[in-house]
Amino acid sequence: VRSRARNAPHHKKAAEDPLEEIKAPRVHMDYFFMSREDEAASSNPMLVVLDERSGSRYARLVGRKGLGSDGEMDWLVEDLLITLKGWGHAGGSAGHVIMKSDGEPAILAVKNAVMQRLGGICVPEQPAKGEKAENGLIEEAGETIREYFCTFLSSIERGVDDVIPLDSDIIPWIVRWVAICYPRYKMGSDGRTSYERRRGRSCKSIVVPIGETVHYKELGDGGDREHTADSDWSKGVWLGLADRNTETLIGTSKGVVR
């Protein structure tokens, strides 16, 4: 309620578009900022990507706009390629996708790098100059991610009874989890989630509030224990689910484990 003060509509199945099957899928992308201070300083940008057909979302705090130098943003291009293929945009000779963004040089650099690597038929698209309504879908996606981010952050702050700064280590994990969580559990006007539209089934994964301290058992057969009486269970911080499977990510003092 603190960050999402919107009334929930009744869910009605949307009328099917007879041309839906022959439309080329469209992917939107744009940069956003987490605060007015960041926007004024043009620092700590968040890249948001939206799959128009399924409603799937991707969000990462990327540190800087564009591709940088000496391959410093190669990880982002690779991550976007994996995400697009997970959304069903396989690329190659059978691939066909429209990539839409505004004309900012930084976002164009990222978009062009992704299209070049993805292959197939990749059609670049930009909204008409001055026509903000044409960018409405990605603007809504970015605003929704920021709203849910505030909700999740507020929940963690209440739990620890302290203010968490935006440069804290958990902030990028909250942004990432919001983009994964929303399509998996938010029901659309057709009565289905984005995850269900894409995979044909609902997500049944068990989740807990991000930032919660949990007991976990690391993947493996337990053969590395020094003594048979040692416990397989450890404590860590729940950071969400993996993007492309149901593995759970846990933050520990030694790093992130599955």
Side-chain angles (χ1 to χ4, degrees):
V1 174
R2 292 180 63 171
S3 304
R4 293 284 303 166
R6 301 183 187 180
N7 291 328
H10 294 290
H11 299 297
K12 296 180 180 179
K13 186 174 181 180
E16 294 186 2
D17 185 347
L19 298 179
E20 185 65 29
E21 292 300 321
I22 62 174
K23 286 181 181 177
R26 181 182 283 109
V27 173
H28 304 250
M29 59 197 312
D30 203 357
Y31 286 113
F32 296 86
F33 293 94
M34 302 305 295
S35 68
R36 290 188 177 91
E37 292 77 11
D38 284 346
E39 186 169 8
S42 192
S43 64
N44 201 28
M46 173 178 66
L47 179 65
V48 176
V49 184
L50 169 69
D51 182 51
E52 184 175 318
R53 179 171 291 177
S54 71
S56 297
R57 287 160 166 79
Y58 169 99
R60 294 290 188 278
L61 290 178
V62 293
R64 60 162 299 149
K65 289 186 175 184
L67 295 176
S69 57
D70 299 325
E72 65 178 304
M73 300 303 288
D74 286 352
W75 69 268
L76 176 61
V77 175
E78 188 64 32
D79 203 33
L80 286 169
L81 287 169
I82 294 172
T83 298
L84 289 173
K85 290 177 180 180
W87 290 349
H89 309 306
S93 59
H96 188 181
V97 63
I98 298 171
M99 301 283 291
K100 184 173 182 178
S101 72
D102 60 28
E104 182 185 10
I107 196 72
L108 289 177
V110 174
K111 182 175 75 172
N112 291 337
V114 171
M115 289 193 301
Q116 186 176 14
R117 289 280 306 279
L118 185 64
I121 303 174
C122 294
V123 181
E125 185 174 279
Q126 291 178 221
K129 203 168 185 178
E131 293 293 333
K132 290 187 177 181
E134 289 192 25
N135 240 11
L137 288 177
I138 191 63
E139 291 291 337
E140 169 64 18
E143 185 61 30
T144 299
I145 285 175
R146 284 189 291 201
E147 289 174 349
Y148 275 85
F149 168 83
C150 291
T151 301
F152 288 3
L153 180 62
S154 177
S155 175
I156 298 174
E157 289 178 335
R158 288 198 305 273
V160 300
D161 194 23
D162 200 0
V163 175
I164 298 175
L166 290 180
D167 59 357
S168 173
D169 289 341
I170 200 172
I171 296 299
W173 291 100
I174 300 175
V175 170
R176 171 194 171 277
W177 176 235
V178 167
I180 295 173
C181 181
Y182 186 88
R184 291 193 184 205
Y185 302 106
K186 173 65 176 177
M187 193 173 292
S189 59
D190 59 354
R192 297 184 297 168
T193 64
S194 299
Y195 183 95
E196 193 173 355
R197 290 186 212 106
R198 184 158 49 91
R199 293 179 176 261
R201 62 182 185 276
S202 60
C203 181
K204 303 294 186 182
S205 300
I206 298 174
V207 299
V208 299
I210 188 168
E212 193 85 3
T213 299
V214 296
H215 286 89
Y216 72 95
K217 185 184 290 187
E218 195 169 343
L219 288 177
D221 58 7
D224 57 349
R225 288 182 294 170
E226 292 185 10
H227 305 286
T228 56
D230 289 345
S231 174
D232 289 335
W233 294 90
S234 304
K235 267 189 178 182
V237 177
W238 198 86
L239 297 175
L241 302 176
D243 300 56
R244 289 163 285 278
N245 54 49
T246 57
E247 292 176 358
T248 299
L249 304 180
I250 305 293
T252 72
S253 59
K254 298 180 181 179
V256 177
V257 299
R258 294 173 184 258

